[in-house]
Amino acid sequence: MKRNAIILAAGKGTRMRSKLYKVLHKVCGKTMVEHVVGQLEKADIENIITIVGFGAEKVEEVVGDRTKFALQNEQLGTGHAVMQAKDLLADEDGETIVVSGDTPLFTADTFKKLFEYHEQRHAAATILTSVAPDPTGYGRIVRNDVGIVERIVEQKDATPEEQAIHEINTGVYCFDNKKLFAALKNINNDNAQGEYYLTDVIEILKNEQEIVTAYKMSDFDESMGVNDRVALARANKIMRKRINTKLMESGVTMLDPETTYIDDGVQIGQDTVIEGGVVIKGKTTIGNGCYISAHSRIEDSTIHDGVTITSSTLQEAEMHDGSDIGPNSHLRPAAEIGKNVHIGNFCEVKKAFIGEGTKVGHLTYIGNATLGKNINVGCGVVFVNYDGKNKHHTNVGDHAFIGSNSNLVAPVNLAANAFVAAGSTITDNVEEYDMAIARARQVNKENYAKKLPW
């Protein structure tokens, strides 16, 4: 049986109080609509259609070719939104799930179970329901004395007895596709809001003696829609707990998971230890046996095995096996740190490769450079790479020694085993085994200090 999906993502989301289109707000590093698309893909649904309206171009840019798109020019209700998929979907066989683009917590497992329940019962429509601790504001699922769904009653229309029902409509439905579009022809907007409601399809199918069922999922939190910043914060918290739990179950140690912020999609190997206050974002991969200390921030970076990161920041960087950095250092884009390299405190590296075994102690800037193996870089060294208009490159060979407080003015090359005396400003190449000294000769003025005002 072919499985289709329609994502409702045309609403403006005025309660978000944002210039950003609602479904593009992020939960743990991904937009809400990306979460929905990703879980539908994991549920083996190939034919996905996203209904867009406000900010359509931006949504299409984010989602790309992962779905087809249909435009809802006017927001006239959920039923009207689904109608916009008619040209793409109405003639298709199979089953269609309808889900909102602002529900980022649904999982592929829930979608699969919904389809299976729907198909096993040969239903025309299946409503995804859950039990809410506080059902206020939700549509209630009214069943008869043998448990068959009779109707959905909205909060404002519910009697006191119906308001006491805790089984609620999550807003997700599975339909026989052709019966869905046949029923959509018969809905109207004869209601207080003047909108076309998808829930009316349920009543139409019931009146036609079609089978309408409800699948009750176990985790109410999955069903949460995000309509404002408060709900967005709660969704992030729930998603973060889900991510951290999965990582810990796979062999990652988190000393304080409640203050550890890891984006969806981050990969972390076994026996890596993460302290509290750590933020790991984007397309980051961390290997086995690493140690990430408190308040480190890692984004779009690759960390190999046995790496130690101490209270430092990494952006689009790479650290190879056994290397370490920090505290309070910064790897900027295109920084690559080789095996067993030591980067000390208050260092910054950008667009540079540092070879195996090299030591960069502290208070140093390395930019636009290639460093070989087993080099010693002293305190306060600056790779001077910018002339005010262009960036220039510096090369340093294996086993070189760069004394403290030296400036290497690019473009310049230091050969293997070259030696730079402390306090030098190097503007010319240094050949192998040469020692470069580039500083003014010291002159002592006898008794001059007595003439000074202090």
Side-chain angles (χ1 to χ4, degrees), residues 72-218:
Q72 186 185 22
N73 286 310
E74 294 182 273
Q75 277 60 60
L76 300 177
T78 52
H80 179 260
V82 174
M83 290 178 193
Q84 309 314 303
K86 177 182 176 181
D87 291 344
L88 294 171
L89 196 57
D91 295 330
E92 297 286 341
D93 292 318
E95 316 298 336
T96 295
I97 188 172
V98 179
V99 59
S100 175
D102 62 1
T103 53
L105 299 175
F106 280 116
T107 65
D109 184 60
T110 295
F111 292 149
K112 287 180 179 179
K113 289 178 178 177
L114 175 60
F115 271 115
E116 290 168 1
Y117 187 93
H118 174 84
E119 291 166 358
Q120 288 168 1
R121 283 151 182 79
H122 306 286
T126 301
I127 309 159
L128 181 63
T129 74
S130 189
V131 176
D134 178 6
T136 303
Y138 290 94
R140 308 303 204 280
I141 302 299
V142 179
R143 297 176 183 263
N144 63 19
D145 54 0
V146 294
I148 296 173
V149 174
E150 289 188 334
R151 63 189 182 279
I152 303 170
V153 180
E154 297 302 323
Q155 169 82 26
K156 62 181 181 296
D157 300 321
T159 66
E161 292 78 13
E162 291 167 340
Q163 289 184 11
I165 297 171
H166 283 253
E167 186 180 6
I168 57 93
N169 175 22
T170 67
V172 176
Y173 310 88
C174 188
F175 294 100
D176 176 285
N177 186 65
K178 288 186 175 178
K179 291 179 181 179
L180 165 64
F181 282 95
L184 283 170
K185 295 177 183 178
N186 297 319
I187 67 173
N188 59 61
N189 63 345
D190 185 17
N191 53 64
Q193 301 298 322
E195 295 184 349
Y196 298 88
Y197 294 131
L198 186 58
T199 49
D200 289 348
V201 170
I202 301 299
E203 184 177 355
I204 290 169
L205 293 173
K206 287 284 292 183
N207 291 338
E208 293 175 351
Q209 306 303 309
E210 296 283 0
I211 298 174
V212 174
T213 63
Y215 171 69
K216 187 189 300 182
M217 67 182 196
S218 58

Side-chain angles (χ1 to χ4, degrees), residues 338-354:
K339 291 183 178 180
N340 302 313
V341 168
H342 168 66
I343 306 290
N345 55 313
F346 298 102
C347 294
E348 182 175 334
V349 181
K350 177 179 182 289
K351 201 174 182 180
F353 173 80
I354 300 178

Side-chain angles (χ1 to χ4, degrees), residues 310-345:
T310 306
S311 304
S312 293
T313 298
L314 283 68
Q315 299 169 283
E316 300 176 32
E318 183 171 7
M319 295 185 69
H320 289 272
D321 295 354
S323 58
D324 68 276
I325 185 171
N328 303 308
S329 286
H330 189 181
L331 299 184
R332 293 171 62 193
E336 184 176 354
I337 309 304
K339 291 183 178 180
N340 302 313
V341 168
H342 168 66
I343 306 290
N345 55 313

Side-chain angles (χ1 to χ4, degrees), residues 190-440:
D190 185 17
N191 53 64
Q193 301 298 322
E195 295 184 349
Y196 298 88
Y197 294 131
L198 186 58
T199 49
D200 289 348
V201 170
I202 301 299
E203 184 177 355
I204 290 169
L205 293 173
K206 287 284 292 183
N207 291 338
E208 293 175 351
Q209 306 303 309
E210 296 283 0
I211 298 174
V212 174
T213 63
Y215 171 69
K216 187 189 300 182
M217 67 182 196
S218 58
D219 185 1
F220 170 71
D221 284 340
E222 275 192 45
S223 67
M224 188 182 72
V226 176
N227 292 311
D228 56 30
R229 305 295 180 124
V230 175
L232 184 66
R234 184 163 177 260
N236 270 283
K237 186 174 183 178
I238 294 169
M239 180 71 76
R240 185 166 68 246
K241 182 178 180 181
R242 184 186 295 176
I243 292 167
N244 290 355
T245 298
K246 184 177 179 180
L247 287 169
M248 289 187 287
E249 289 173 346
S250 72
V252 177
T253 295
M254 294 186 190
L255 301 188
D256 190 1
E258 290 186 358
T259 63
T260 302
Y261 304 87
I262 300 176
D263 277 356
D264 184 43
V266 169
Q267 300 179 37
I268 304 177
Q270 292 182 350
D271 296 318
T272 286
V273 177
I274 302 174
E275 294 183 352
V278 169
V279 177
I280 306 175
K281 299 179 68 63
K283 298 178 181 179
T284 293
T285 300
I286 298 176
N288 300 316
C290 297
Y291 199 101
I292 317 296
S293 87
H295 309 300
S296 294
R297 183 181 180 90
I298 304 169
E299 185 171 355
D300 295 324
S301 296
T302 301
I303 313 301
H304 295 267
D305 296 341
V307 171
T308 298
I309 299 171
T310 306
S311 304
S312 293
T313 298
L314 283 68
Q315 299 169 283
E316 300 176 32
E318 183 171 7
M319 295 185 69
H320 289 272
D321 295 354
S323 58
D324 68 276
I325 185 171
N328 303 308
S329 286
H330 189 181
L331 299 184
R332 293 171 62 193
E336 184 176 354
I337 309 304
K339 291 183 178 180
N340 302 313
V341 168
H342 168 66
I343 306 290
N345 55 313
F346 298 102
C347 294
E348 182 175 334
V349 181
K350 177 179 182 289
K351 201 174 182 180
F353 173 80
I354 300 178
E356 182 175 355
T358 289
K359 292 179 172 55
V360 183
H362 42 287
L363 298 165
T364 289
Y365 172 72
I366 299 175
N368 295 84
T370 302
L371 281 69
K373 298 178 181 180
N374 300 310
I375 296 166
N376 183 84
V377 180
C379 173
V381 170
V382 177
F383 282 62
V384 185
N385 60 332
Y386 185 49
D387 64 8
K389 184 178 180 180
N390 298 306
K391 297 288 183 71
H392 301 280
H393 200 83
T394 296
N395 295 297
V396 182
D398 297 344
H399 308 288
F401 182 98
I402 304 172
S404 296
N405 200 36
S406 294
N407 300 309
L408 307 184
V409 183
V412 69
N413 297 313
L414 279 63
N417 300 295
F419 191 105
V420 174
S424 295
T425 295
I426 303 300
T427 58
D428 296 323
N429 294 343
V430 182
E431 301 302 325
E432 188 169 9
Y433 294 111
D434 285 358
M435 181 175 73
I437 305 174
R439 61 193 182 210

Side-chain angles (χ1 to χ4, degrees), residues 422-423 437-446:
I437 305 174
R439 61 193 182 210
R441 182 179 297 276
Q442 180 175 328
V443 177
N444 294 343
K445 300 291 186 178
E446 187 176 349

